[in-house]
Amino acid sequence: MALVPAVAGAAPGPAHPSASAAPAARELAVAIDGMRFVPAALAVRPGDRVTWINKDLVPHTVTARDGRFDSKAIAAGASFTWTASGKGHVDYACLYHPTMVATLTLP
């Protein structure tokens, strides 16, 4: 059996992090620009923070069809943040401009 020398300063422990460790939450952004959500489809994980930033000159809402979130009016230059939770597809729209639609996907 060959011996492997210890590395100075290395802490003992497993060579690989635990597979059960949850990934760190991310900060994600969706622009409201040109009367649309950009990107229109976004994969998110529970715990991720999604911020919608209104770059248009008119107010918008970010309203989930299943009721998970509703920003109310987001003025020009303002933003709304939601911490992702649940699973599946979350379709959302602007209540003022119903052709503005997008989807979040949670595993």
Side-chain angles (χ1 to χ4, degrees):
M1 173 172 22
L3 295 175
V4 178
V7 177
H16 301 285
S18 170
S20 64
R26 301 172 297 171
E27 298 285 334
L28 305 170
V30 176
I32 303 172
D33 194 8
M35 301 296 283
R36 58 195 174 110
F37 297 107
V38 181
L42 184 63
V44 300
R45 299 184 302 241
D48 286 352
R49 289 174 39 93
V50 182
T51 299
W52 288 264
I53 305 155
N54 186 359
K55 296 183 176 185
D56 280 341
L57 298 176
V58 297
H60 293 289
T61 73
V62 177
T63 306
R65 297 201 189 276
D66 68 2
R68 289 189 210 196
F69 53 83
D70 182 7
S71 65
K72 308 296 186 215
I74 304 172
S79 65
F80 166 73
T81 299
W82 175 69
T83 301
S85 62
K87 294 182 178 187
H89 296 283
V90 182
D91 296 322
Y92 64 93
C94 173
L95 294 179
Y96 304 145
H97 311 100
T99 59
M100 291 177 60
V101 295
T103 303
L104 300 176
T105 303
L106 289 103

